Amino acid sequence: MTKKRYEKPIILKQHSGMMNKFGSTQTFRPITKIDDVEIDSLTEKFGSPLFVFSEKQIREKYRKLNKIFKTRYPKVRFAWSYKTNYLSAICSIYHQEGSWAEVVSEFEYDKARDLGVKGENIIFNGPFKSESALEKAIREKALIHIDHFDELYSIMEITEKIDLTANVAIRVNMDTGIYPPWNRFGFNYENGEAMLALKRIIHDERLELKGLHTHIGTYIMSAEPYRQATLKLVDLAKEIYDNYNVRLEYIDLGGGFPSNNTLKGQYLEAEQLLPTYEDYADAITSALFELNLPSDELPVLTLETGRALIDDSGYLITSVFATKRLSTGKQALIMDAGVNYLFTSYWFNHKVVPTKEISGFTENTIVYGPLCMNIDVIRDDVVLPVMHKGDKLVVLYVGAYSVTQWMQFISLRPNVVLITEEGDVELIRAAETNENITEQERLPEKLSDFTLTD
Amino acid sequence: MSEYKISDNLAVSESGFLFMANSGESFTVNETGRFIINNLKENKSEEEILSLLTNEFDIDIDTAQRDFDEFLTLLRNLKLVEEL
Amino acid sequence: MKVAVTGLNNVDSPGPGVPVIRGIKDSGKFEGEIIGLLYDALEPGAYMREVTSRSYLIPYPSSGIESFFDRLAYINSFEKIDVIFPTLDAELFAFSKLSGKLNDLGIKTLVPTMEQLVLRGKDKLFDFCTKNNINAPYNIIASSINDLYALPKELQYPVVIKGIFYDAYVAHNFQEASAYFTKMASKWGLPIIVQEFISGEEYNVVALGDGEGTAIGAVASKKMYITDKGKGWAGVTIMDEELLSISQKIIKALNWRGGAEFEFVKKRDTGEYFLLEINPRFPAWVYLAVGAGQNLPYAALQLALGEKIEPFENYEVGKIFIRYSWDLIVDMKKFEDITVNGVLRND
């Protein structure tokens, strides 16, 4: 006789709070595979925790977004935002799709060059570009997006010293009706600072003004601010054409489109609140047509979309290391991955999903990471089925920022794999070893020897 | 003979719905939970229940013991069981 | 014909489900069954035999739109629902997003679009009113407590502090304002709306838009008795051409699709109407409109089914609703069924 499937015994008290925030029943759609690869086979081979990226999903998402913009505007260019995810394999997928590189540090700049991106296809952003980085970028014809006057003057000095011209744009900040406004980066539009910087650039014969750039914020949940931002850049573009006869090659709207992740403190799930990408595209492109230029004279629309492109294609598989009952009776799980790998769980309520079919008996659960630290919480209240030691959860939408902001704290960072379009599983970043960490250290001779107390 | 006593006021239905007649509270249990409560009501000992559980369900004795302990803690918290 | 209705929580702050169902049944033209969709096992409408035939528990949309849809699709697999009639604020985003997928299952809905829901949001309402020449109290959108330190001159205490989804408090000074700010930010998240307090009498309009700019109906009322929770427990239909013409203007400007409630205050010194809020669904007092001659719930059902209908021309002024409570006696078995199996049958 075959035995019945076992589930840990559990009892729940019924309490009825009219319209309480959390559901009384829950149905789950467990994830057993990513693309067509079984989750269990992935962890068998590569261990747990494990970051998994899907090449197919990455390319599909890119092509979808590209198409949405290209069907609305004739000239569109994407530049892959390295800080969002600079694993070589991931960057290379975007470069194969035709994406330029958008970098914000010398480290990222060099990384893009090493991957084979030419300087002239690199957009160099950020408030902190060292003199050596600037000189390199000027020599290699990169597009330097100037953030402040000190940087502008540095570029003027360098170009004079090496007697070369630099390709530049300025970053503009502005009031687009979003709160709080981002005014720490770039030159302000409303107080005339942006126009002043543009004048300086136009009057310097070694500076070649190529475009205008803005990046209005992150996780912008409405399309209207993009329309406002575009209109203001269009306004600047018209002014410099009218006054100085300078035509821009491109207008760069930066990034900031949200992904499916739900922000903490947000009452409804992101999926229910967000506009479609078509809405964003309509807002931006309709404003660009206000330039009233014939199609061949329109500037290229550059987008530095990061999160919206990659977030949904990244997964973290993590296993239940232990289950616990808190003194309140609440189910607690200790997972083998925590905030050390999911920095983003400080601001997102990450979606966590079980990997096998369950009976439908669910309860409010707290999901802890493995660190010996009180702040190590992946979700502080999420409805999950009865979980056993060794069961797995998949954390969804972790493609953006997790593998760039993760910490080597207390433990080493795990494997990262890519499921290719062909269905093969490729290791794209090997798990760290003790040697990786200690090889950077130097132990002074006099500390190399010790005797412990009895 | 059982080491624990489930309150006589607790009515357990086939569906896994529990009603405590003297407090008005209601609860739900899953299949294994109901299995344990019914056996406790029949005054079975912990050892007997564990053996019945491992015969009926696909589970090893160590895990069953661990989960039984956890379940008893829940029942104690909810004041549904007394130690004898 | 099977119609599934939410919001059967006929409690002291009632959902509109039961009055909507009564309207549909009172039309005399409805042949079919009403199915209840519940978020809680104790929603009274599920236990009322003359209201629902059967009811099912569904998860909150806030717990995940996929599982929400899966549950609806599962119920539909044997119930074969023709129309779902959502009646609660918090679920409208989900139903709006899912309207296409539900339509693919053969389920019709009459819900506002995402764009309409966003435009009428508490944080966007002032802009909307300014653009359309509708009076609205001045407001600012506060994203941190610092914004309270430097209120613009249009905002003199007392001010109204409002959460992005629910709740509003009148604050008479900075101390009160910052206390409410903190309280609401932790409950509903940011931003917080700080609004000009306009002293005067409040009026409400229940209306129905066809999605193409026409108001199919609109009935104005004045609350006569208000509970300590701020809910009208009795109210009377009134007629004021201006109130109705502003309401029509709102529906036209938004191309509003579905039921709505407009909340106005008539400024004491000038007599002008100020729009305080647009609620994107029928209010719980919608049955007063039925009683006064405009069966808006049934008309909404006809619109959902794609039928062409003519707007209502008028309604009876001076009709009063008086709400009352009533105790139902049921067996524990009913509660067990809904708790364990997620279904409660009255048939």
Side-chain angles (χ1 to χ4, degrees), chain A residues 95-109:
Chain A
H95 295 322
Q96 282 189 348
E97 292 290 331
S99 229
W100 290 22
E102 185 264 324
V103 304
V104 293
S105 70
E106 191 166 8
F107 160 73
E108 289 188 352
Y109 185 94

Side-chain angles (χ1 to χ4, degrees), chain A residues 191-400:
Chain A
N191 69 11
E193 198 184 36
M195 201 55 223
L196 185 67
L198 289 169
K199 262 190 244 171
R200 290 266 187 285
I201 292 169
I202 290 164
H203 288 135
D204 187 312
E205 56 186 17
R206 287 197 187 80
L207 300 186
E208 190 84 37
L209 181 66
K210 296 286 188 185
L212 291 172
H213 170 224
T214 190
H215 188 117
I216 57 176
T218 186
Y219 209 90
I220 307 298
M221 292 167 62
S222 143
E224 185 57 24
Y226 283 94
R227 185 194 317 277
Q228 297 302 327
T230 313
L231 286 173
K232 288 181 176 178
L233 292 187
V234 162
D235 207 42
L236 281 176
K238 280 182 178 166
E239 199 175 334
I240 52 181
Y241 179 71
D242 292 345
N243 294 338
Y244 308 103
N245 202 29
V246 174
R247 270 267 189 264
L248 298 174
E249 282 180 19
Y250 65 91
I251 286 184
D252 182 342
L253 264 297
F257 303 151
S259 67
N260 271 330
N261 265 312
T262 304
L263 287 172
K264 289 201 166 169
Q266 191 171 295
Y267 180 61
L268 290 173
E269 258 204 340
E271 293 164 342
Q272 295 166 50
L273 283 176
L274 299 179
T276 61
Y277 293 123
E278 283 85 349
D279 294 336
Y280 291 102
D282 284 338
I284 292 170
T285 56
S286 64
L288 282 174
F289 286 118
E290 297 285 316
L291 281 164
N292 290 322
L293 290 174
S295 172
D296 54 331
E297 283 178 46
L298 283 168
V300 173
L301 165 63
T302 302
L303 293 161
E304 299 168 356
T305 311
R307 187 196 308 284
L309 280 174
I310 188 78
D311 222 7
D312 301 0
S313 314
Y315 303 78
L316 174 64
I317 305 171
T318 170
S319 306
V320 177
F321 183 74
T323 66
K324 240 180 167 168
R325 285 279 153 199
L326 300 185
S327 58
T328 53
K330 189 170 181 169
Q331 174 173 241
L333 306 176
I334 301 171
M335 309 302 296
D336 59 7
V339 293
N340 47 341
Y341 308 143
L342 281 177
F343 202 70
T344 46
S345 53
Y346 288 126
W347 52 86
F348 289 137
N349 278 333
H350 276 297
K351 193 161 180 173
V352 291
V353 187
T355 62
K356 55 185 184 202
E357 298 287 342
I358 41 95
S359 70
F361 218 87
T362 60
E363 57 180 320
N364 284 354
T365 303
I366 184 161
V367 184
Y368 293 121
L371 307 179
C372 194
M373 308 267 297
N374 202 35
I375 54 163
D376 190 19
V377 181
I378 297 178
R379 287 296 302 269
D380 47 20
D381 207 3
V382 60
V383 180
L384 283 176
V386 183
M387 300 293 288
H388 304 92
K389 181 176 165 66
D391 285 350
K392 288 176 211 102
L393 290 175
V394 180
V395 188
L396 299 183
Y397 319 138
V398 298

